Amino acid sequence: MTRYGPAEAAERSGFSIDTLRYYEREGILPPVARNSGGRRQYSDDDLAMLDFLRCLRDTGMPIERLRRYGELARSDKTMPERLALIEEHTKVVESRIAELQSQRTRLEEKAAWYRDQLEK
């Protein structure tokens, strides 16, 4: 299995090294393996988890919920709970999308009004 040091894991994941440490310390990311010198060694599985955590974070999931997902992800027996958490978050994201679409419509209407005023 391929292992990545903190700098390479940060580069591949798009998270800073500080964020990687924070996610591990807060239980969002499971404990990362360490080499004989005690240095973190991230696996492909760790990077896949970080990729999904980025999706959750970028869609506005609060830290408490990220932490809960990270805790649940440590056991295959928690799939129903993880599914429920993701479905709940999806509803939040869908609501935000609807709100943004409404705001975009208002912006487009205002831009059309300005164009009309400039043409007069």
Side-chain angles (χ1 to χ4, degrees):
M1 180 184 294
T2 305
R3 296 287 179 178
Y4 309 93
E8 189 172 1
E11 182 179 327
R12 287 176 175 267
S13 70
F15 287 110
S16 69
I17 292 174
D18 288 338
T19 299
L20 295 178
R21 287 186 194 123
Y22 173 78
Y23 276 15
E24 185 180 1
R25 184 175 61 247
E26 291 298 313
I28 297 168
L29 184 65
V32 176
R34 295 178 183 258
N35 66 15
S36 59
R39 187 176 159 110
R40 289 175 176 83
Q41 297 291 294
Y42 295 85
S43 68
D44 290 323
D45 289 342
D46 293 327
L47 292 179
M49 176 68 157
L50 286 165
D51 182 59
F52 190 64
L53 290 171
R54 173 164 295 289
C55 173
L56 295 174
R57 189 187 81 175
D58 288 350
T59 56
M61 182 175 275
I63 286 292
E64 306 83 47
R65 305 292 284 168
L66 283 172
R67 186 177 297 116
R68 180 69 179 138
Y69 181 82
E71 291 167 357
L72 292 170
R74 291 190 184 109
S75 170
D76 288 338
K77 296 177 182 179
T78 63
M79 284 189 187
E81 292 93 340
R82 283 184 272 165
L83 174 59
L85 192 144
I86 290 169
E87 288 176 338
E88 181 180 312
H89 185 63
T90 299
K91 289 177 185 174
V92 171
V93 170
E94 288 169 348
S95 175
R96 285 185 46 224
I97 289 170
E99 183 179 330
L100 286 169
Q101 288 173 331
S102 175
Q103 292 168 342
R104 182 183 66 190
T105 298
R106 289 196 64 209
L107 291 169
E108 290 169 346
E109 290 168 354
K110 192 60 146 180
W113 183 85
Y114 279 115
R115 283 188 210 98
D116 184 53
Q117 294 302 307
L118 290 170
E119 288 176 8
K120 291 181 182 180

